[in-house]
Amino acid sequence: MDHPLSELLKSALGDAISQVTLFRDEVTLHTSRERILDVLTHLRDVQQFDMLTDETCVDYYPREPRFGILYQLYSIPRNLRVRVKVMLSEYDASLPSAVPVYRNANWLEREIYDLFGIHFEGHPDLRRILLPPDYPGHPLRKEVPIAVEENAFSFNRARIDAAKPYATE
Amino acid sequence: MGLEQKLGDMGIVTTSLEKVVNWARSNAIWPMLFGLACCAIEMMSAQAPRYDLSRFGMELMRASPRQSDLMIVAGRVSRKMAPVLRNLYDQMPDPKWVIAMGDCASCGGVFNNYAIVQGVDEIVPVDVYVAGCPPRPETLIDGIMKLQEKIRREPLKKWQ
């Protein structure tokens, strides 16, 4: 808690911040999905964090709440970085979209929806961005198996041929 | 090339139609100009002066599938790219051949995951598999020469 930014932000944002963690001079603000837009708006307008570097998701399965949504913010005038984190339950994986605050969150949230299946309320165009539109499931969730072909590199052509589809003319 | 000795006095050479057509097809294979990943860099190198693919009559990369005979799948095919690749294959006129260049196109390679097709033979019929990650230009040239040998062996009844 000895980083100058952490105390300042905690006093300015008040009860919207449940916890501030400091790791190797990186400040992380933990907040709730009800207050996330207030926190982001305050950071953008008052604290001059004018750039959303990245928005991403972590699957902490089997912990509950399972998903962590991370916002990496950068202030160009102050040359400071801060991370905002929201934890989400597996059974109610939705939160307000950050597009009204940071417009580049549009594609980042589409990617999170595509790969993790998180629903963003109020997103203008929430559909898949990287995978084909008819792809089943959300492959970066931890219940999805890592490998598609279980017997790859087994050099057992009979087993591979039995499971593998082949194209014809 | 010794042809004048075969001509004799009559100026005529006799051979089978099969051999002539296969000779013409195998020595002017026009590959399609497209690459998907790092294997495409080796494919470009194979056409460049140092390895000079044009020695074997297949330097003419066509940017349109309607003018090509050979599809060199150079790189990993993602599941989103798969319908595009099949569409290009369907637009090529017969007869047509496919080379799966590199491990990713042959069997998925190291990318055994949700995003990559586990071998391009799942979506198009492959004639020659070229191993390597990525294959050196000599390996690709060897694969194309293997394909030439295969075309020269094609019997008449299999023509399309």
Side-chain angles (χ1 to χ4, degrees), chain A residues 29-40:
Chain A
L29 309 175
H30 296 258
T31 183
S32 63
R33 67 175 175 188
E34 287 79 19
R35 304 298 299 274
I36 179 63
L37 287 187
D38 299 340
V39 172
L40 289 179

Side-chain angles (χ1 to χ4, degrees), chain A residues 10-150:
Chain A
K10 186 150 177 67
S11 60
L13 288 162
D15 59 345
I17 303 297
S18 58
Q19 192 191 352
V20 181
T21 52
L22 200 61
F23 176 74
R24 294 193 174 181
D25 292 336
E26 294 178 9
V27 181
T28 306
L29 309 175
H30 296 258
T31 183
S32 63
R33 67 175 175 188
E34 287 79 19
R35 304 298 299 274
I36 179 63
L37 287 187
D38 299 340
V39 172
L40 289 179
T41 312
H42 174 85
L43 287 172
R44 184 193 66 179
D45 294 340
V46 182
Q47 303 289 343
Q48 295 179 296
F49 283 96
D50 45 6
M51 182 168 149
L52 177 68
T53 318
D54 197 10
E55 179 177 352
T56 184
C57 178
V58 184
D59 188 355
Y60 290 105
Y61 181 83
R63 263 160 55 185
E64 181 65 32
R66 179 174 161 181
F67 296 107
I69 308 289
L70 295 154
Y71 301 81
Q72 311 275 0
L73 302 181
Y74 177 60
S75 170
I76 295 172
R78 298 172 71 188
N79 191 19
L80 286 173
R81 289 176 196 278
V82 74
R83 181 182 303 125
V84 183
K85 189 168 183 180
V86 182
M87 295 304 291
L88 291 180
S89 164
E90 179 183 352
Y91 306 103
D92 188 15
S94 68
L95 80 164
S97 168
V99 175
V101 189
Y102 293 103
R103 287 187 66 192
N104 68 321
N106 190 326
W107 282 15
L108 299 170
E109 287 178 351
R110 279 176 65 185
E111 184 180 344
I112 298 172
Y113 164 74
D114 193 356
L115 300 175
F116 287 95
I118 310 286
H119 184 73
F120 289 91
E121 296 153 11
H123 191 284
D125 184 24
L126 195 64
R127 59 193 164 91
R128 287 185 185 274
I129 185 170
L130 294 174
L131 295 169
D134 56 348
Y135 195 90
H138 302 283
L140 282 196
R141 288 190 173 210
K142 281 197 180 161
E143 75 257 18
V144 177
I146 295 171
V148 177
E149 217 167 68
E150 284 177 23

Side-chain angles (χ1 to χ4, degrees), chain B residues 29-34 43 65 68-74 84-92 96-101 120 124-128 147:
Chain B
I29 306 177
W30 289 3
M32 187 154 59
L33 178 66
F34 89 111
M43 188 173 71
S68 0
D69 308 308
L70 171 64
M71 172 185 257
I72 303 177
V73 185
V84 182
L85 190 112
R86 179 69 207 194
N87 197 9
L88 285 173
Y89 178 80
D90 288 339
Q91 286 176 352
M92 285 163 62
K96 52 192 172 186
W97 298 276
V98 178
I99 289 181
M101 180 184 179
V120 75
V124 290
V126 177
D127 292 288
V128 175
L147 179 69

Side-chain angles (χ1 to χ4, degrees), chain B residues 38-49:
Chain B
C38 36
C39 280
I41 304 295
E42 298 296 307
M43 188 173 71
M44 289 178 234
S45 177
Q47 298 152 21

